[in-house]
Amino acid sequence: MSDVPAVKAALKSQAVETPSWAYGNSGTRFKVFAQPGVPRSPQEKLDDAAQVHAATGVAPTVALHIPWDRVEDYGALAKYAQERGLKLGAINSNVFQDDDYKLGSVTHPDPAVRRKALGHLLECVDIMDATGSRDLKLWFSDGTNYPGQDDIAARQDRLAEALSAVYDRLGEDQRMLLEYKFFEPAFYTTDVPDWGTAYAHCLKLGPKAQVCVDTGHHAPGTNIEFIVALLLREKKLGAFDFNSRFYADDDLMVGAADPFQLFRIMYEVVRGGGLTSGVAFMLDQCHNIEPKIPAIIRSVMNVQEATAKALLVDRDALATAQREGDVLGANAVLMDAYNTDVRPLLAEVRGELGIAPDPMAAYRASGWAERIVAERVGGEQAGWGA
């Protein structure tokens, strides 16, 4: 059986990074539904993130997205976060919302556009220096829509050149996280479509380059936990972007579509030492019809619950069943852990952290939702820039 004190200690040490953009208005390509009380500045996003951390106890960092979170003084923003019990986390670049990037950014056929995109990526490293952030997260919408539109191999050469320049700019304690997505907005070829492409580039770059697995960026039926296990084995899993999908890149709350998949992923993380190896557990979600802060709290709780179940797997019993070729027995060990109600355990963990046992109830009781609706009147609400 699992060592309950050790399980509790692991749960207390886990941290889930929340994304600044999830606190703003976001949604589908068809409509973004504005909500009252939505932040109007990066500072107000941090105010909301502090409420998530207060309710859950395990969300101490906030990822920024540039230019959505651009400010004059990033050191001052880092201090603002620190005063609220937070730190600034990954810096996310944006080379997909400028008209110049219609045919690509760092893989664009025009060298001038490529220089512009690279300049932005290097600017993001400057921001990391100012905020004390460890991670630079790179996602490229670059690709083509039609056969013959551009040279596939040449685009990989351009990508490698840009990544190398950014890698050389990183500080000793900084990392590059390369994200992948198999389609959209490009539909014929995507320049970083899968984990293998991301891994190949990261392997060539060196130890400061690692792969980011977005759980919504895979073709239907993809065994994500296999990818996680392999990248952990190769010491190339740097981060997750946690969300959930039914059909494509839905960016729903993590665990909403397939909580069993989230458990299977977290079991491979636990088994591969990912809880203690520096893997960043980040959320990347669009809350279009649900209230922002409660949705983020629920997402953090979903990650915690999946992690708790993964930690409760009787690994000795599982190893025995696997050695003996006991197919049903091995599967039963995993299912026993998955079917465990871990909510009482997590309530105990929260009590030991000095916070309320039910984060959702604690947030409702805080009055924050009513306060921000009353106070955040006027100005321009933050959004995802679409």
Side-chain angles (χ1 to χ4, degrees), residues 18-52:
T18 68
S20 69
W21 54 96
Y23 297 98
N25 286 320
S26 59
T28 70
R29 294 147 191 80
F30 300 100
K31 174 66 177 174
V32 174
F33 297 105
Q35 297 182 16
V38 161
R40 299 161 297 178
S41 68
Q43 290 81 1
E44 288 185 348
K45 293 178 184 179
L46 292 173
D47 292 339
D48 287 355
Q51 297 300 310
V52 174

Side-chain angles (χ1 to χ4, degrees), residues 55 301 304 343-344 346-351 354-362:
M301 294 171 67
Q304 286 183 293
R343 290 173 296 179
L346 284 165
E348 290 180 20
V349 167
R350 294 179 186 119
I355 63 175
D358 184 343
M360 295 292 280

Side-chain angles (χ1 to χ4, degrees), residues 113-187:
V113 176
R114 297 202 298 272
R115 286 193 297 270
K116 175 180 177 176
L118 177 58
H120 171 70
L121 302 184
L122 295 175
E123 175 199 10
C124 287
V125 183
D126 293 340
I127 293 170
M128 293 169 67
D129 293 340
T131 59
S133 298
R134 177 187 64 171
D135 296 331
L136 171 68
K137 187 134 67 66
L138 304 175
W139 174 72
F140 299 101
S141 65
D142 297 33
T144 64
N145 278 1
Y146 296 98
Q149 177 183 323
D150 201 357
D151 187 305
I152 294 173
R155 292 177 75 91
Q156 290 298 310
D157 292 339
R158 299 168 199 157
L159 173 64
E161 181 180 3
L163 292 176
S164 179
V166 176
Y167 188 91
D168 290 344
R169 170 64 183 82
L170 293 174
E172 285 301 314
D173 297 323
Q174 295 174 338
R175 306 187 304 177
M176 170 194 297
L177 303 174
L178 183 56
E179 188 177 348
Y180 57 90
K181 185 178 182 182
F182 78 107
F183 88 108
E184 192 193 43
F187 295 104

Side-chain angles (χ1 to χ4, degrees), residues 29-330:
R29 294 147 191 80
F30 300 100
K31 174 66 177 174
V32 174
F33 297 105
Q35 297 182 16
V38 161
R40 299 161 297 178
S41 68
Q43 290 81 1
E44 288 185 348
K45 293 178 184 179
L46 292 173
D47 292 339
D48 287 355
Q51 297 300 310
V52 174
H53 185 42
T56 64
V58 295
T61 59
V62 182
L64 300 184
H65 209 299
I66 308 300
W68 303 342
D69 294 314
R70 181 165 280 143
V71 294
E72 291 295 323
D73 189 335
Y74 289 99
L77 188 65
K79 183 179 179 182
Y80 188 92
Q82 185 178 23
E83 290 169 350
R84 282 144 187 81
L86 302 170
K87 290 184 178 181
L88 298 181
I91 303 300
N92 291 253
S93 60
N94 184 322
V95 285
F96 53 87
Q97 285 189 314
D98 190 294
D99 285 346
D100 284 344
Y101 301 144
K102 181 171 67 173
L103 299 180
S105 61
V106 296
T107 67
H108 197 288
D110 184 344
V113 176
R114 297 202 298 272
R115 286 193 297 270
K116 175 180 177 176
L118 177 58
H120 171 70
L121 302 184
L122 295 175
E123 175 199 10
C124 287
V125 183
D126 293 340
I127 293 170
M128 293 169 67
D129 293 340
T131 59
S133 298
R134 177 187 64 171
D135 296 331
L136 171 68
K137 187 134 67 66
L138 304 175
W139 174 72
F140 299 101
S141 65
D142 297 33
T144 64
N145 278 1
Y146 296 98
Q149 177 183 323
D150 201 357
D151 187 305
I152 294 173
R155 292 177 75 91
Q156 290 298 310
D157 292 339
R158 299 168 199 157
L159 173 64
E161 181 180 3
L163 292 176
S164 179
V166 176
Y167 188 91
D168 290 344
R169 170 64 183 82
L170 293 174
E172 285 301 314
D173 297 323
Q174 295 174 338
R175 306 187 304 177
M176 170 194 297
L177 303 174
L178 183 56
E179 188 177 348
Y180 57 90
K181 185 178 182 182
F182 78 107
F183 88 108
E184 192 193 43
F187 295 104
Y188 174 60
T189 63
T190 299
D191 292 326
V192 190
D194 51 39
W195 70 269
T197 305
Y199 172 73
H201 282 284
C202 289
L203 190 64
K204 188 172 183 179
L205 287 165
K208 291 188 290 186
Q210 295 186 301
V211 179
C212 175
V213 174
D214 184 307
T215 50
H217 284 188
H218 303 86
T222 299
N223 189 317
I224 300 174
E225 56 268 32
F226 173 84
I227 299 169
V228 169
L230 189 146
L231 290 174
L232 276 170
R233 181 176 182 270
E234 299 299 321
K235 296 180 171 49
K236 279 296 182 181
L237 179 63
F240 285 97
D241 270 3
F242 278 131
N243 51 56
S244 194
R245 53 158 289 174
F246 289 102
Y247 297 107
D249 185 21
D250 302 344
D251 274 349
L252 300 173
M253 291 177 359
V254 61
D258 190 351
F260 185 47
Q261 179 192 66
L262 181 58
F263 160 75
R264 299 193 310 264
I265 290 170
M266 290 311 303
Y267 172 71
E268 294 302 333
V269 169
V270 170
R271 186 240 175 260
L275 284 183
T276 57
S277 67
V279 175
F281 302 100
M282 300 185 281
L283 304 180
D284 181 17
Q285 302 173 174
C286 282
H287 304 295
N288 193 27
I289 60 173
E290 65 271 34
K292 315 296 181 181
I293 299 173
I296 297 170
I297 291 173
R298 181 68 257 181
S299 296
V300 173
M301 294 171 67
N302 287 351
V303 174
Q304 286 183 293
E305 290 174 15
T307 304
K309 292 180 179 185
L311 288 164
L312 288 173
V313 171
D314 188 336
R315 292 174 63 180
D316 291 338
L318 181 61
T320 298
Q322 290 171 341
R323 283 194 305 270
E324 296 176 352
D326 184 356
V327 176
L328 293 179

